[in-house]
Each structure stands twice: as C-alpha cells, then as structure tokens.
Amino acid sequence: MTTWTSLFLLLGLGLLAVDAAAPWWKTASFYQIYPRSFKDSDGDGIGDLNGVTEKLEYLKEIGVTATWLSPFLKSPMADFGYDISDFKAVDPLFGTMEDFENMVSRAKELGVKIILDFVPNHSSDECDWFLRSAAGEEEYKDYYIWHAGFLNEDGTRRPPTNWVSVFRGSAWEWHEGRQEYYLHQFHKKQPDFNFRNPVVREEMNNVLRFWLEKGVDGFRVDAIYHAFEIEADENGNYPDEPRNDWTNDPDEYGYTHKIYTVDQPETPHLVYEWRQILEQFQADNGGDERILMVETWSPIEIVMHYYGNETAEGAQIPFNFQLISNLHYDSDAYHYEYLINNWLNLMPEGKSANWVIGNHDKNRVGSRFGADRVDLFNILLLTLPGCSITYQGEELGMLDGYVSWEDTVDPQACNGYESNYMDNSRDPARTPMHWSDETMAGFTTGKSTWLPVSTDYRQRNVKTERGVSLSHLNVFKRLQQLRQEPSIVDGSAEVTAVSNYVLAVKRHLLGDYVYISLFNIFDSIENVNLSSVFGSLPAKFQYALVTEKSIKKVGDQVSAGSVTLMPHEAIVLRSTTTA
Ligand code: GLC
Ligand code: MG
C-alpha cells in the first residue's frame, strides 16, 4: 500500500467512526451529586470525595452515564462551596487533590463521566484575587466591579444603584479598605467578577484548562446569566433598574426588574469561548467530547442562544428548566405537552434536548408534586428524547427533609425571617442521602450531620428499595434498561395530551418497536384509546414498565384501543411487533 492509499483509508475509517458514534452525552443519563450530602467517609457528618468514590458503583448500578458534582473546591462555605477562594484546589473538608484524582480514575474504570461545577460569576471575598483587588493592587484593581457610591445631602453614603442581591439586600457592599462598594449579585461573601476585563476572562479560561488536564469530562456552568452587568457610562456610573410594583421591600430580589444585571447580550459569547477551549483540548489530547451544561434561568428564547449561533458552537446542554419553572401541582396534561414541545420546537436545528425536574436549589419532586407522582416524573424524564438529569435521591423518591429555623444554614433563608424561611430555604432538598435503614441512614458513621437526616429514611433508602420489586429505585433501574432500546435512544418523539388528565409520549424508530409512555397526572381512573391519539398504530401492545400503582404485569398484553390508568399512574407500553 502506498502512503497515500493508507492515508485515505485511515481518513475514511476515521470519518466513518465519527459518523457512526453519536456523542456520548446526547442520550446520557446524568446524575447530580451534592457532595456535602452524598456520602461521608470520615465521620465528620459532611459528605466528601472519598464518599463519592465509594459510591461510584451505585451510579453504575442505576445506569448513570455521568455525574455533575456541586463544588468541592477551597471555600469558606458562605454559600456551601459556591463561594470559591481557590479555583484550583480541593477544600480539605472534601478531601485532597489525590482523593479527587482517585475519584476520577475509579470513575474512568467504571465508565462514569465526571463533570465539575464551574462557578465563573463570582469568587469568595477570601480569594487571593479579591484581597489584592480590595488592596488596590494595580494588576488586580479591575478584577471585580467597584464603585465609590454617592453621598446623600446629610453626608451618609448610598450604593451606586438600587440593584438587589439574590440572597436579599443591596447587591453592593461597602469595603472599608478600598473605600468603595463592590458588586455581589449573591452573598456579600461572593463578589462578582468583572468579565469586561480580558485578564479575568483569561484567568477563568485557565481554570477550565487546569481541570481538563486533571481529566474531567466537562463543566456545569453556574449562574451564567449573571456574568455580565450593563457597562458603566462615560462617568463610570451604572443605571438603576426599574421597579417592580408587586413589592415595596427594597431588600427583596424581586424589587427591581432585571434588565441590567442578568441576560446581557455578551453573555452567551463567553460560553462560545469556553466551548472552543474544550474543543481545542480535545483536539490536542483526544478522548470523548468534553461538554458544557449551563445554568441560566432566562426566558426560553434567551436560553436557546446558549446552544450557539450561525458561527459558533455553544453549550451542548443549556439546562432545560421549563418543567422545573413552569409546572405546578395543578398543571394539566396540555400544559405538560406545551412546555415539552415548546422546547423541542425552539431548539436550533441539529441540537439535542435535555430534561431537568430537580436540583439542589429546588424542593424535592415528591414534595412539589406529591409523593404519589415520583415515578411519573422519573418515567417522563427518562423516556423523552435527549438526555435526562436526575438530582441525587430522586431515584428513591426522597422528600424534602424538615429543617427547623435553628438548624437552617442556607444563606438564602438565613438572610430573611423566621416567619417565612421555608419559602426560601434550600436546605430541605439538601438533607443527607438515604443509603440504608441504619442510624444516620448509612450516610455517616458520625453522631451528627451538617443538616439533619430526614425522619422518613427507614422507608425510603437504597438498601430497602433494592429489595422491593416495584420500588422507585427499581422502576428507575428498569427505565435505564429501556433507554437502551433503539426506539428510545434514537427514535422520533411525539408528545401529546390525550385529555386534560393524560399525557402520552410516543417513541419510534422505523423497523423497531413502538414505545408509548402514558402519564395519568390526576387522581381519577382514566381510559385511553391510543389509536385515536396517534392514528395508525400496531393493534397490540404489552406493558414494558409498570409501577406499584399498576394492576398489570410487565409482558401482559393490552389493546391500543383501550388502556386503563389508575390515579397518578405512569406506564410504558411496547408494541408486540416491530413497525
Ligand atoms: C447557582 C447555584 C446555587 C448558588 C448560586 C450562586 O444558582 O445552583 O446553589 O447559590 O448559583 O453561586
Ligand atoms: Mg466528611
């Protein structure tokens, strides 16, 4: 063979291989770990990296492809790790860099990808960069957003604008040392970076490169829509945001209408820049595609910009918060249908969907929608097209833990009042994971935990649920097996409300079985004629997945013309013949 022919052959094979293998993340099943609450290995009552490593096999057991971990980097923990003081070091509370490396190498052995939480909007006020900036060191002066504020007639000082922090109160904090205010869109111990400074951008790019070198498979990007604020005018001043009329409390986040502090037009371009860094790294080092999952609570049209534009690739996974943000306890099937199809329709050509229903910032699914609907949401997330993202414990149907005002630690709640702290507290969704029915739910060998273990752990835990055939856990595992089916991996998706009460999702790949998942959202018994919904269908179906509500068995046959659903029941059907 001449060099040329072998070169062509190689190229040809290379192209084929690339074409044949869809990127791993497209249909992946993601799992979010909140390390403080996942597994404690050293008995101090706080979860840690060795705890995660110990439980990686569990992720394998439940069919998880990749896990994104909330931050475990050096932090004073004012926002439990979202206030980072060293972006390139592990906090001793969670372990050492060596523990991190062990976790990554064990995860690689098991084939579980590791995604790091990247927090670019702010650092801790104890970060060396901030200390130097506050001291006015020339090189660091403009790393953060500083402003002298204004003097009132009576000589008192007032902040530069009426901007409010997400965690209540002015978003500006006076710094005695520098004699200026700095901006913090979250906690006052979380000063916002100045992304208009190219040096800051490069620092952040280097943080990405550092962790890529360490072997991570991608990043979940925190609070991206806060990255830029409006640019200061020629006098260095910022404008006030317009008032919302539904509150008179200037400390409440909703006091102003967010037009200058979030969703600035520059922001998605940051993500495009980061995507290039990931691509460059892959080009230089090989391996599977590295990914970006970005967190933005923006209007859906804006979220779509994060996928990329005509000239640039963006995040593979801009979190789809449509269900988390817009579904309520009473939402009917048409609302589900609308929210799901709206995302699929607005998605730019060639992009992939993702589905999120819970995370460490929101109440548990079972507490928001009722314990009775846990399977329903797991089945929905795992049978829709694209990738699913599950928060730890949702596979068990964990509910919000009760956390008294005295035990409350979340700054979002502590900055408010005892009378309504429950409306703001994120602690209930963060109580320790339930591994077993032993003391402390098998989370720790210690005597106390950073948040109380929820009292219902004896019923809802991994060990007990493993042994109950139709437990939430086993339904979840069975779903993961179904997700291997060609129609569910690659098939088309038709999502439609059958009535106010029932939602149906049809997945089909030509020449393969037709799968239909059905969701009875309310508490009446419903009967569905699938042929009248989907037109021509194979006449016979069989149950491919049932839950404890079902009075049916997997494998039992049912006619497409008449399927009965119990209150809150969700099932998956499979045609008996390929079509
Ligand atoms: C994101 C995180 C949240 C954190 C905030 C500030 O919204 O999910 O937990 O408090 O950013 O970093
Ligand atoms: Mg520990």
Side-chain angles (χ1 to χ4, degrees):
M1 231 188 303
T2 69
T3 331
W4 278 113
T5 19
S6 46
L7 189 65
F8 279 128
L9 207 72
L10 269 177
L11 275 176
L13 282 175
L15 283 179
L16 264 182
V18 168
D19 268 342
W24 65 270
W25 51 267
K26 280 208 169 182
T27 54
S29 165
F30 288 88
Y31 187 85
Q32 179 193 353
I33 290 181
Y34 192 71
R36 287 183 81 86
S37 297
F38 194 57
K39 174 72 177 123
D40 178 23
S41 72
D42 61 6
D44 67 355
I46 300 176
D48 43 51
L49 293 181
N50 286 339
V52 174
T53 307
E54 206 181 290
K55 294 296 183 185
L56 285 169
E57 272 174 47
Y58 170 71
L59 301 195
K60 203 67 204 163
E61 171 190 335
I62 64 170
V64 162
T65 327
T67 174
W68 80 260
L69 299 103
S70 283
F72 45 80
L73 305 186
K74 196 103 203 316
S75 165
M77 304 290 166
D79 189 19
F80 300 102
Y82 283 96
D83 49 321
I84 298 173
S85 54
D86 184 344
F87 285 80
K88 297 175 186 164
V90 172
D91 195 281
L93 205 57
F94 293 113
T96 62
M97 189 57 90
E98 204 187 332
D99 297 336
F100 171 78
E101 286 159 359
N102 285 339
M103 177 181 80
V104 169
S105 70
R106 181 71 188 125
K108 285 209 191 317
E109 276 167 26
L110 289 167
V112 174
K113 307 242 184 234
I114 299 284
I115 313 286
L116 205 82
D117 204 334
F118 173 52
V119 186
N121 179 66
H122 42 262
S123 70
S124 160
D125 65 338
E126 295 178 38
C127 178
D128 191 50
W129 296 329
F130 185 79
L131 296 175
R132 288 166 182 269
S133 189
E137 277 187 39
E138 194 49 39
E139 218 187 307
Y140 294 90
K141 223 169 74 238
D142 297 326
Y143 262 47
Y144 298 83
I145 317 261
W146 294 95
H147 191 285
F150 298 103
L151 282 182
N152 296 316
E153 273 170 16
D154 65 0
T156 54
R157 221 186 302 274
R158 71 167 191 275
T161 66
N162 66 352
W163 299 353
V164 193
S165 146
V166 174
F167 295 158
R168 282 186 69 82
S170 172
W172 297 97
E173 180 74 10
W174 179 252
H175 193 280
E176 275 303 326
R178 180 151 158 166
Q179 290 288 300
E180 280 189 303
Y181 287 94
Y182 62 86
L183 177 73
H184 61 92
Q185 294 212 43
F186 292 88
H187 199 277
K188 66 177 182 213
K189 286 184 69 63
Q190 290 169 303
D192 272 53
F193 280 118
N194 172 14
F195 270 98
R196 297 188 189 278
N197 180 351
V199 185
V200 167
R201 286 225 289 278
E202 198 44 28
E203 291 276 19
M204 283 297 140
N205 293 349
N206 286 332
V207 169
L208 293 177
R209 294 187 185 106
F210 176 86
W211 291 104
L212 287 167
E213 292 285 351
K214 293 259 173 224
V216 304
D217 299 288
F219 302 90
R220 175 262 186 187
V221 182
D222 184 71
I224 189 64
Y225 61 134
H226 291 276
F228 280 95
E229 297 75 32
I230 191 167
E231 204 169 357
D233 66 16
E234 65 280 7
N235 302 316
N237 294 331
Y238 299 95
D240 273 349
E241 281 182 328
R243 282 277 319 275
N244 280 328
D245 54 15
W246 43 268
T247 169
N248 284 322
D249 177 358
D251 287 339
E252 191 174 322
Y253 187 57
Y255 183 72
T256 65
H257 182 43
K258 310 297 168 216
I259 58 173
Y260 299 135
T261 51
V262 299
D263 290 336
Q264 300 302 294
E266 297 87 341
T267 315
H269 295 270
L270 262 184
V271 174
Y272 307 163
E273 199 174 317
W274 293 334
R275 176 69 182 268
Q276 276 177 16
I277 291 174
L278 268 58
E279 306 230 312
Q280 189 57 52
F281 186 84
Q282 194 193 347
D284 295 344
N285 296 275
D288 292 345
E289 198 171 320
R290 312 304 196 279
I291 63 158
L292 291 172
M293 326 173 78
V294 304
E295 185 208 20
T296 179
W297 299 87
S298 317
I300 189 167
E301 291 76 12
I302 294 180
V303 179
M304 292 298 160
H305 293 306
Y306 288 91
Y307 270 122
N309 62 19
E310 301 73 33
T311 54
E313 290 289 331
Q316 291 92 334
I317 305 178
F319 282 138
N320 175 355
F321 291 142
Q322 292 305 301
L323 303 179
I324 252 197
S325 302
N326 304 316
L327 275 188
H328 303 287
Y329 187 85
D330 292 326
S331 302
D332 66 18
Y334 290 102
H335 198 50
Y336 284 64
E337 176 200 279
Y338 167 76
L339 294 173
I340 294 167
N341 286 333
N342 197 35
W343 181 276
L344 295 174
N345 295 336
L346 289 177
M347 221 166 42
E349 184 86 26
K351 301 297 178 191
S352 244
N354 70 86
W355 309 97
V356 192
I357 192 68
N359 63 33
H360 67 298
D361 294 327
K362 298 285 171 197
N363 294 92
R364 291 267 179 199
V365 174
S367 297
R368 262 179 291 145
F369 296 100
D372 230 22
R373 284 163 163 167
V374 163
D375 292 324
L376 186 148
F377 279 101
N378 284 336
I379 297 174
L380 184 61
L381 241 62
L382 277 82
T383 58
L384 284 172
C387 65
S388 62
I389 303 159
T390 301
Y391 176 51
Q392 71 182 38
E394 293 296 351
E395 75 281 17
L396 306 173
M398 274 178 70
L399 302 175
D400 283 344
Y402 170 73
V403 185
S404 69
W405 171 246
E406 287 70 32
D407 284 342
T408 294
V409 290
D410 178 16
Q412 183 163 288
C414 295
N415 284 354
Y417 308 102
E418 181 171 357
S419 56
N420 68 348
Y421 80 99
M422 287 278 210
D423 299 342
N424 299 315
S425 182
R426 300 172 295 179
D427 290 338
R430 298 176 177 179
T431 60
M433 173 81 173
H434 301 172
W435 292 104
S436 72
D437 54 2
E438 291 142 42
T439 349
M440 297 295 182
F443 165 72
T444 181
T445 53
K447 296 220 170 356
S448 66
T449 49
W450 78 282
L451 281 177
V453 173
S454 180
T455 47
D456 64 351
Y457 75 89
R458 283 195 190 79
Q459 297 93 62
R460 294 169 224 277
N461 64 70
V462 173
K463 186 171 154 233
T464 307
E465 293 197 26
R466 272 187 187 132
V468 176
S469 68
L470 291 177
S471 63
H472 301 306
L473 180 65
N474 283 328
V475 167
F476 189 86
K477 288 202 225 174
R478 169 83 183 131
L479 271 168
Q480 297 281 24
Q481 287 159 7
L482 281 181
R483 271 170 83 81
Q484 313 299 315
E485 298 297 323
S487 281
I488 298 186
V489 178
D490 284 326
S492 60
E494 247 180 275
V495 180
T496 178
V498 177
S499 63
N500 277 329
Y501 309 103
V502 177
L503 180 78
V505 177
K506 175 184 164 197
R507 305 293 315 271
H508 184 220
L509 187 69
L510 214 62
D512 208 86
Y513 297 100
V514 178
Y515 285 85
I516 296 179
S517 19
L518 290 173
F519 307 89
N520 184 9
I521 295 163
F522 297 106
D523 48 13
S524 51
I525 298 179
E526 294 296 317
N527 189 268
V528 190
N529 177 352
L530 289 175
S531 311
S532 75
V533 180
F534 291 113
S536 95
L537 276 183
K540 285 274 168 209
F541 278 79
Q542 63 188 27
Y543 299 106
L545 177 132
V546 297
T547 68
E548 58 163 17
K549 301 195 176 311
S550 310
I551 38 175
K552 343 166 156 147
K553 289 206 306 286
V554 167
D556 280 0
Q557 293 210 356
V558 58
S559 129
S562 172
V563 185
T564 302
L565 296 165
M566 300 310 282
H568 294 159
E569 182 179 5
I571 54 173
V572 183
L573 301 175
R574 195 193 81 173
S575 59
T576 53
T577 51
T578 55

